[in-house]
Amino acid sequence: MAFLEVKDIYKNFGETQVLKGVSFDMEKGEVFSIIGSSGNGKTTLLRCLNFLEVADGGKITVDGEQIFPIDAEGKKRAKVDKKRLTFGMVFQNFNLFPQYTALKNITLAMDVRSDNLLKAQNVKGAEKKRLLKEAKEKNEETAKQILTRVGLENKMGNYPCELSGGQQQRVAIARALALSPDILCFDEPTSALDPELTGEVLKVIKQLRDEGRTMIIVTHEMEFAKNVSDKIIFMADGVIEEMGTPAQIFDAPQSEKTRAFLSRSNEQEAGYDA
Amino acid sequence: MEQFWDIIIELTEGFGNTLLLFAVTLVFAFPLGLLLAFGSMSKFKPLKWFVKVLIWVIRGTPLMLQILLVSFIPQYVFHVPTKELAAALNITINTTMFLFVALAFVINYACYFSEIYRAGIEAIPVGQYEAGQVLGLTKNQIFSKIVLMQVIRRILPPMSNEIITLVKDTSLAQILGVIDLLNAAKHAVNHYVILTPFVYATIFYLIFNGLLTLLLGWIEKKLSYYKV
């Protein structure tokens, strides 16, 4: 049994079928890149994994545990909140919280989780206060370490508006990492960045791959996808048109659609160079 | 000179009522306005439409008329004359009148505030909510820890406008005989047959609104340590 099993995911927006039965398996420590033209369901698939959209049908299993659909009707919300932490998400537009420093952006959710844990253990009063304070100090320590790992040890006290796009996205990656998700998802993490800033973000993602993180990356950076991924998923018209190793997809694509897409994106890249 | 101080004391007492009405309105209309804003954005249609109609009625009629209507409700709807109501609540008629005025003010201002809140809440990018969701925060946590501060910052300028308007609107309280600052000035003008109390009242209003403007500006500056 694979670590992540995605089976037959369907999603409609009104009349429009966006996902028409998407299935794939993934092992722990693998990195998948999802490529394809805009509007073919890449982002929607990622959002379904993160419960930002609720799929209309299908099944998602992580490490043998079914996380979608959720069978128990009662406490559905609470369960979703818990299960969604299986996945981390890095957005195209970072979505940092502008009123908090880089450090607080990261500790915010950690502190909430510590608080929830203490509540679940039924700790109360002064004892809870003390334990929460301890947990918060520990969270801050962890957050500092993670920020250092993404190269932002000097920017911890800065607000998002004081950071470049690349730095903001690195904070966002650190924020997702801080909750130690099983699978980290990236939704076009460099699309909102100036070209000269994409490198620093891609470097961090590469570093995470070397650490053995399980990651799913929706991207338009073909070279990067080729270099960093164990498998490439090419999506077209709401289904996985073709899936395989980077060598299989980029050097010997089987499907006509894959070939057409790759030659289009090659032309574009060549166009940039000219 | 003695007359001057007599007038100032009268005006100060009137100003006390003005301040009290101002404070009571803000204290209750701020939270009530937020509740109404949630109501007007509710997915539960009957609640949404109830709030929308309420806002339409309140914004579509003069505040002075609303004050009068509130004061008539006990007598004409519940057949309890104001005197009996005051006796039952063990308060003076004057206090009862003040409460009528305050009630009308709170409802009126809550409706205006609710539209400002709504605009502020709807201006928050959906990505902020989504970021909170994927970090495992509940709806309430997302609102209180992420959205609310950003809303406050965005709505401070239009709120400041309403707050300053409120200072001047308090003069409508005299329709029920409440002695506010302007009413006190009017009494003094009639009593001493001079016009200077109006000048003094003007100075009272200007000083108070000047201080408020400074305070609101200071808060706005405090909150703009980050860019949205």
Side-chain angles (χ1 to χ4, degrees), chain A residues 47 50 52 77 81 84-85 87 89 91 95-100 105 108-109 112 116 159 161-162 175-176 179, chain B residues 125-139 141 144-150 225-228:
Chain A
R47 290 171 63 85
N50 279 283
L52 288 173
R77 256 284 348 151
D81 286 335
R84 73 182 351 144
L85 291 180
F87 292 91
M89 178 80 160
F91 298 90
N95 293 340
L96 294 180
F97 308 130
Q99 73 269 42
Y100 295 130
N105 259 279
L108 180 75
V112 167
N116 289 346
Y159 291 95
C161 63
E162 299 166 338
R175 181 173 71 176
L179 297 178
Chain B
V126 69
Q128 292 289 307
Y129 293 92
E130 291 185 345
Q133 280 177 315
V134 296
L135 293 171
L137 271 59
T138 63
K139 257 186 167 172
Q141 287 165 342
S144 64
K145 288 178 194 290
I146 299 170
V147 174
L148 186 61
M149 273 301 284
Q150 295 180 43
Y225 61 88
Y226 68 91
K227 280 202 211 88
V228 214

Side-chain angles (χ1 to χ4, degrees), chain A residues 108-121:
Chain A
L108 180 75
M110 299 171 91
D111 291 347
V112 167
R113 191 169 63 172
S114 302
D115 192 41
N116 289 346
L117 271 172
L118 289 175
K119 258 182 215 153
Q121 290 163 7

Side-chain angles (χ1 to χ4, degrees), chain A residues 187-200:
Chain A
D187 184 15
E188 301 190 23
T190 57
S191 292
L193 296 176
D194 292 338
E196 72 267 25
L197 298 178
T198 57
E200 56 187 85

Side-chain angles (χ1 to χ4, degrees), chain B residues 50-62:
Chain B
F50 171 76
V51 175
K52 293 251 178 210
V53 168
L54 176 73
I55 292 173
W56 169 62
V57 169
I58 296 294
R59 292 202 306 179
T61 55

Side-chain angles (χ1 to χ4, degrees), chain B residues 14 17 29-30 33 36 44-45 50 65 75 86 95 106 121 128 163 169 180-181 200 210:
Chain B
N17 279 331
F30 276 142
L36 288 175
F44 181 58
K45 287 279 161 66
F50 171 76
L65 177 62
Q75 177 132 25
T95 311
V106 167
I121 291 170
Q128 292 289 307
I163 291 169
D169 272 357
D180 72 302
L181 174 56
Y200 304 149

